[in-house]
Short mmCIF file of all heavy atoms in Angstrom, two decimals:
data_model
loop_
_atom_site.label_atom_id
_atom_site.label_comp_id
_atom_site.label_asym_id
_atom_site.label_seq_id
_atom_site.Cartn_x
_atom_site.Cartn_y
_atom_site.Cartn_z
N VAL A 114 16.94 4.53 -48.12
CA VAL A 114 17.16 3.12 -47.77
C VAL A 114 18.39 2.95 -46.89
O VAL A 114 18.35 2.29 -45.85
CB VAL A 114 17.29 2.28 -49.06
CG1 VAL A 114 17.77 0.87 -48.73
CG2 VAL A 114 15.97 2.24 -49.80
N ALA A 115 19.50 3.55 -47.32
CA ALA A 115 20.77 3.34 -46.62
C ALA A 115 20.79 3.94 -45.23
O ALA A 115 21.42 3.40 -44.31
CB ALA A 115 21.93 3.89 -47.44
N PHE A 116 20.10 5.09 -45.08
CA PHE A 116 20.16 5.79 -43.81
C PHE A 116 18.87 5.72 -43.01
O PHE A 116 18.63 6.55 -42.14
CB PHE A 116 20.59 7.25 -44.05
CG PHE A 116 21.99 7.35 -44.62
CD1 PHE A 116 22.18 7.47 -45.98
CD2 PHE A 116 23.09 7.26 -43.80
CE1 PHE A 116 23.46 7.52 -46.52
CE2 PHE A 116 24.37 7.32 -44.31
CZ PHE A 116 24.57 7.45 -45.68
N ALA A 117 18.07 4.71 -43.30
CA ALA A 117 16.90 4.44 -42.46
C ALA A 117 17.41 4.19 -41.04
O ALA A 117 18.37 3.45 -40.84
CB ALA A 117 16.14 3.23 -42.98
N ALA A 119 16.77 2.42 -38.45
CA ALA A 119 16.94 1.07 -37.89
C ALA A 119 18.22 0.41 -38.39
O ALA A 119 19.00 -0.15 -37.62
CB ALA A 119 15.73 0.21 -38.21
N VAL A 120 18.45 0.48 -39.70
CA VAL A 120 19.65 -0.17 -40.26
C VAL A 120 20.89 0.65 -39.96
O VAL A 120 21.97 0.09 -39.71
CB VAL A 120 19.49 -0.43 -41.77
CG1 VAL A 120 19.49 0.86 -42.57
CG2 VAL A 120 20.59 -1.37 -42.26
N LEU A 121 20.76 1.97 -39.96
CA LEU A 121 21.92 2.81 -39.67
C LEU A 121 22.41 2.57 -38.24
O LEU A 121 23.62 2.52 -37.99
CB LEU A 121 21.56 4.29 -39.86
CG LEU A 121 22.72 5.26 -39.77
CD1 LEU A 121 23.72 5.02 -40.90
CD2 LEU A 121 22.22 6.70 -39.83
N ASP A 122 21.48 2.40 -37.33
CA ASP A 122 21.85 2.12 -35.95
C ASP A 122 22.63 0.80 -35.85
O ASP A 122 23.61 0.71 -35.11
CB ASP A 122 20.59 2.05 -35.08
CG ASP A 122 20.91 1.78 -33.62
OD1 ASP A 122 21.41 2.69 -32.95
OD2 ASP A 122 20.66 0.64 -33.16
N LEU A 123 22.24 -0.20 -36.62
CA LEU A 123 22.92 -1.49 -36.57
C LEU A 123 24.36 -1.39 -37.06
O LEU A 123 25.27 -1.93 -36.44
CB LEU A 123 22.16 -2.51 -37.43
CG LEU A 123 20.80 -2.98 -36.91
CD1 LEU A 123 20.13 -3.89 -37.94
CD2 LEU A 123 20.95 -3.70 -35.58
N VAL A 124 24.56 -0.70 -38.17
CA VAL A 124 25.91 -0.66 -38.75
C VAL A 124 26.83 0.28 -38.00
O VAL A 124 28.04 0.02 -37.88
CB VAL A 124 25.85 -0.32 -40.27
CG1 VAL A 124 25.47 1.14 -40.51
CG2 VAL A 124 27.19 -0.66 -40.94
N THR A 125 26.29 1.36 -37.44
CA THR A 125 27.16 2.31 -36.76
C THR A 125 27.40 1.97 -35.30
O THR A 125 28.17 2.65 -34.62
CB THR A 125 26.60 3.75 -36.86
OG1 THR A 125 25.28 3.79 -36.33
CG2 THR A 125 26.61 4.25 -38.29
N THR A 126 26.76 0.91 -34.81
CA THR A 126 27.09 0.42 -33.48
C THR A 126 27.77 -0.95 -33.55
O THR A 126 27.91 -1.63 -32.54
CB THR A 126 25.85 0.35 -32.57
OG1 THR A 126 24.85 -0.46 -33.20
CG2 THR A 126 25.30 1.74 -32.28
N GLY A 127 28.16 -1.35 -34.76
CA GLY A 127 28.94 -2.55 -34.93
C GLY A 127 28.18 -3.85 -34.87
O GLY A 127 28.78 -4.92 -34.78
N ARG A 128 26.87 -3.78 -34.93
CA ARG A 128 26.09 -5.02 -34.85
C ARG A 128 25.96 -5.72 -36.20
O ARG A 128 25.66 -6.91 -36.25
CB ARG A 128 24.72 -4.74 -34.24
CG ARG A 128 24.81 -4.48 -32.73
CD ARG A 128 23.47 -4.12 -32.14
NE ARG A 128 23.11 -2.75 -32.46
CZ ARG A 128 21.89 -2.24 -32.27
NH1 ARG A 128 20.93 -3.00 -31.78
NH2 ARG A 128 21.64 -0.97 -32.57
N ILE A 129 26.18 -4.98 -37.28
CA ILE A 129 26.35 -5.59 -38.60
C ILE A 129 27.54 -4.92 -39.26
O ILE A 129 27.93 -3.79 -38.90
CB ILE A 129 25.10 -5.47 -39.51
CG1 ILE A 129 24.79 -4.00 -39.83
CG2 ILE A 129 23.91 -6.17 -38.89
CD1 ILE A 129 23.72 -3.81 -40.89
N SER A 130 28.14 -5.59 -40.22
CA SER A 130 29.31 -5.04 -40.92
C SER A 130 28.88 -4.08 -42.03
O SER A 130 27.71 -4.06 -42.44
CB SER A 130 30.11 -6.18 -41.54
OG SER A 130 29.36 -6.81 -42.57
N ARG A 131 29.84 -3.33 -42.51
CA ARG A 131 29.56 -2.46 -43.66
C ARG A 131 29.15 -3.32 -44.86
O ARG A 131 28.29 -2.93 -45.64
CB ARG A 131 30.78 -1.60 -44.00
CG ARG A 131 30.49 -0.55 -45.06
CD ARG A 131 31.71 0.34 -45.30
NE ARG A 131 31.36 1.47 -46.13
CZ ARG A 131 31.31 1.45 -47.46
NH1 ARG A 131 31.56 0.32 -48.11
NH2 ARG A 131 31.00 2.54 -48.13
N ARG A 132 29.80 -4.47 -45.02
CA ARG A 132 29.45 -5.37 -46.12
C ARG A 132 27.99 -5.78 -46.04
O ARG A 132 27.26 -5.76 -47.05
CB ARG A 132 30.35 -6.60 -46.05
CG ARG A 132 30.10 -7.69 -47.09
CD ARG A 132 30.46 -7.24 -48.49
NE ARG A 132 29.31 -6.73 -49.21
CZ ARG A 132 29.40 -5.97 -50.30
NH1 ARG A 132 30.58 -5.63 -50.79
NH2 ARG A 132 28.32 -5.54 -50.90
N ALA A 133 27.53 -6.13 -44.86
CA ALA A 133 26.13 -6.51 -44.68
C ALA A 133 25.20 -5.33 -44.94
O ALA A 133 24.09 -5.51 -45.46
CB ALA A 133 25.91 -7.06 -43.27
N TRP A 134 25.65 -4.13 -44.57
CA TRP A 134 24.86 -2.92 -44.81
C TRP A 134 24.66 -2.69 -46.31
O TRP A 134 23.54 -2.46 -46.77
CB TRP A 134 25.57 -1.74 -44.16
CG TRP A 134 24.92 -0.41 -44.28
CD1 TRP A 134 23.58 -0.13 -44.18
CD2 TRP A 134 25.57 0.85 -44.50
NE1 TRP A 134 23.37 1.23 -44.31
CE2 TRP A 134 24.57 1.85 -44.51
CE3 TRP A 134 26.90 1.22 -44.67
CZ2 TRP A 134 24.87 3.20 -44.70
CZ3 TRP A 134 27.20 2.56 -44.84
CH2 TRP A 134 26.20 3.54 -44.86
N VAL A 135 25.75 -2.75 -47.06
CA VAL A 135 25.66 -2.55 -48.51
C VAL A 135 24.79 -3.63 -49.15
O VAL A 135 23.96 -3.34 -50.03
CB VAL A 135 27.06 -2.51 -49.15
CG1 VAL A 135 26.96 -2.43 -50.68
CG2 VAL A 135 27.87 -1.34 -48.61
N ASP A 136 24.94 -4.86 -48.69
CA ASP A 136 24.09 -5.94 -49.20
C ASP A 136 22.62 -5.65 -48.93
O ASP A 136 21.75 -5.88 -49.78
CB ASP A 136 24.48 -7.28 -48.57
CG ASP A 136 25.82 -7.80 -49.08
OD1 ASP A 136 26.32 -7.29 -50.10
OD2 ASP A 136 26.38 -8.70 -48.41
N HIS A 137 22.33 -5.15 -47.73
CA HIS A 137 20.95 -4.80 -47.36
C HIS A 137 20.41 -3.72 -48.29
O HIS A 137 19.26 -3.81 -48.76
CB HIS A 137 20.90 -4.32 -45.91
CG HIS A 137 19.61 -3.68 -45.53
ND1 HIS A 137 18.49 -4.40 -45.17
CD2 HIS A 137 19.24 -2.36 -45.48
CE1 HIS A 137 17.50 -3.57 -44.90
NE2 HIS A 137 17.92 -2.32 -45.09
N VAL A 138 21.22 -2.70 -48.56
CA VAL A 138 20.80 -1.62 -49.46
C VAL A 138 20.48 -2.20 -50.83
O VAL A 138 19.45 -1.85 -51.45
CB VAL A 138 21.87 -0.53 -49.55
CG1 VAL A 138 21.52 0.50 -50.63
CG2 VAL A 138 22.04 0.17 -48.21
N GLY A 139 21.33 -3.10 -51.33
CA GLY A 139 21.08 -3.71 -52.63
C GLY A 139 19.79 -4.50 -52.68
O GLY A 139 19.03 -4.44 -53.67
N ILE A 140 19.50 -5.22 -51.59
CA ILE A 140 18.26 -6.01 -51.53
C ILE A 140 17.06 -5.07 -51.52
O ILE A 140 16.07 -5.29 -52.24
CB ILE A 140 18.26 -6.92 -50.29
CG1 ILE A 140 19.30 -8.02 -50.45
CG2 ILE A 140 16.87 -7.50 -50.05
CD1 ILE A 140 19.58 -8.79 -49.18
N GLU A 141 17.12 -4.03 -50.70
CA GLU A 141 15.99 -3.09 -50.61
C GLU A 141 15.76 -2.35 -51.93
O GLU A 141 14.62 -2.07 -52.30
CB GLU A 141 16.24 -2.09 -49.49
CG GLU A 141 16.18 -2.68 -48.09
CD GLU A 141 14.80 -3.20 -47.75
OE1 GLU A 141 13.82 -2.46 -47.92
OE2 GLU A 141 14.69 -4.38 -47.35
N LEU A 142 16.85 -2.03 -52.62
CA LEU A 142 16.73 -1.34 -53.92
C LEU A 142 16.36 -2.31 -55.04
O LEU A 142 15.97 -1.87 -56.13
CB LEU A 142 18.06 -0.67 -54.29
CG LEU A 142 18.58 0.47 -53.42
CD1 LEU A 142 19.94 0.92 -53.92
CD2 LEU A 142 17.60 1.64 -53.41
N ASN A 144 18.58 -3.86 -56.51
CA ASN A 144 19.62 -3.49 -57.47
C ASN A 144 20.97 -3.49 -56.76
O ASN A 144 21.40 -2.47 -56.22
CB ASN A 144 19.31 -2.10 -58.06
CG ASN A 144 20.20 -1.77 -59.24
OD1 ASN A 144 21.37 -2.16 -59.29
ND2 ASN A 144 19.65 -1.04 -60.20
N SER A 145 21.62 -4.64 -56.75
CA SER A 145 22.90 -4.74 -56.05
C SER A 145 24.00 -3.93 -56.73
O SER A 145 24.90 -3.43 -56.06
CB SER A 145 23.33 -6.21 -55.93
OG SER A 145 23.48 -6.78 -57.21
N ALA A 148 23.84 -0.40 -55.45
CA ALA A 148 24.34 -0.34 -54.08
C ALA A 148 25.86 -0.39 -54.06
O ALA A 148 26.51 0.35 -53.30
CB ALA A 148 23.76 -1.48 -53.25
N GLU A 149 26.45 -1.23 -54.88
CA GLU A 149 27.90 -1.34 -54.93
C GLU A 149 28.53 -0.04 -55.42
O GLU A 149 29.53 0.44 -54.88
CB GLU A 149 28.33 -2.50 -55.84
CG GLU A 149 28.06 -3.86 -55.27
CD GLU A 149 28.84 -4.15 -54.00
OE1 GLU A 149 29.94 -3.60 -53.81
OE2 GLU A 149 28.33 -4.93 -53.17
N TRP A 151 27.25 2.97 -55.27
CA TRP A 151 27.07 3.98 -54.22
C TRP A 151 28.09 3.80 -53.10
O TRP A 151 28.65 4.77 -52.59
CB TRP A 151 25.65 3.88 -53.65
CG TRP A 151 25.50 4.54 -52.33
CD1 TRP A 151 25.42 5.88 -52.09
CD2 TRP A 151 25.47 3.90 -51.05
NE1 TRP A 151 25.33 6.11 -50.74
CE2 TRP A 151 25.36 4.91 -50.08
CE3 TRP A 151 25.52 2.56 -50.65
CZ2 TRP A 151 25.29 4.62 -48.72
CZ3 TRP A 151 25.46 2.28 -49.30
CH2 TRP A 151 25.35 3.30 -48.36
N SER A 152 28.39 2.54 -52.76
CA SER A 152 29.28 2.27 -51.63
C SER A 152 30.73 2.62 -51.91
O SER A 152 31.53 2.72 -50.98
CB SER A 152 29.18 0.78 -51.24
OG SER A 152 29.86 -0.05 -52.18
N GLY A 182 30.74 5.60 -37.43
CA GLY A 182 31.31 4.88 -38.56
C GLY A 182 30.96 3.42 -38.57
O GLY A 182 30.15 2.93 -37.78
N THR A 183 31.61 2.71 -39.48
CA THR A 183 31.40 1.28 -39.63
C THR A 183 32.70 0.54 -39.33
O THR A 183 33.72 1.16 -39.01
CB THR A 183 30.93 0.93 -41.06
OG1 THR A 183 32.04 1.08 -41.96
CG2 THR A 183 29.80 1.86 -41.51
N ASP A 184 32.67 -0.77 -39.51
CA ASP A 184 33.86 -1.56 -39.20
C ASP A 184 35.03 -1.31 -40.16
O ASP A 184 36.14 -1.77 -39.90
CB ASP A 184 33.51 -3.05 -39.19
CG ASP A 184 33.00 -3.54 -40.54
OD1 ASP A 184 32.25 -2.81 -41.22
OD2 ASP A 184 33.33 -4.68 -40.92
N THR A 185 34.81 -0.57 -41.25
CA THR A 185 35.89 -0.31 -42.19
C THR A 185 36.60 1.01 -41.94
O THR A 185 37.51 1.37 -42.69
CB THR A 185 35.38 -0.34 -43.65
OG1 THR A 185 34.39 0.68 -43.82
CG2 THR A 185 34.80 -1.70 -44.00
N GLU A 189 39.79 2.86 -43.86
CA GLU A 189 39.54 4.13 -44.56
C GLU A 189 40.51 5.21 -44.08
O GLU A 189 41.03 5.99 -44.88
CB GLU A 189 38.09 4.56 -44.34
CG GLU A 189 37.08 3.65 -45.02
CD GLU A 189 35.66 3.94 -44.59
OE1 GLU A 189 35.34 5.12 -44.32
OE2 GLU A 189 34.84 2.99 -44.51
N ALA A 206 31.25 2.19 -34.26
CA ALA A 206 31.12 0.76 -34.50
C ALA A 206 32.00 -0.06 -33.57
O ALA A 206 31.73 -1.25 -33.35
CB ALA A 206 31.46 0.44 -35.96
#
Side-chain angles (χ1 to χ4, degrees):
V114 169
F116 296 97
V120 69
L121 188 64
D122 181 73
L123 290 175
V124 71
T125 56
T126 55
R128 286 177 284 168
I129 64 171
S130 66
R131 188 177 190 276
R132 177 68 265 162
W134 181 40
V135 175
D136 289 345
H137 168 82
V138 172
I140 291 168
E141 291 295 309
L142 295 177
N144 190 325
S145 60
E149 289 296 331
W151 162 76
S152 74
T183 73
D184 61 321
T185 61
E189 292 169 34

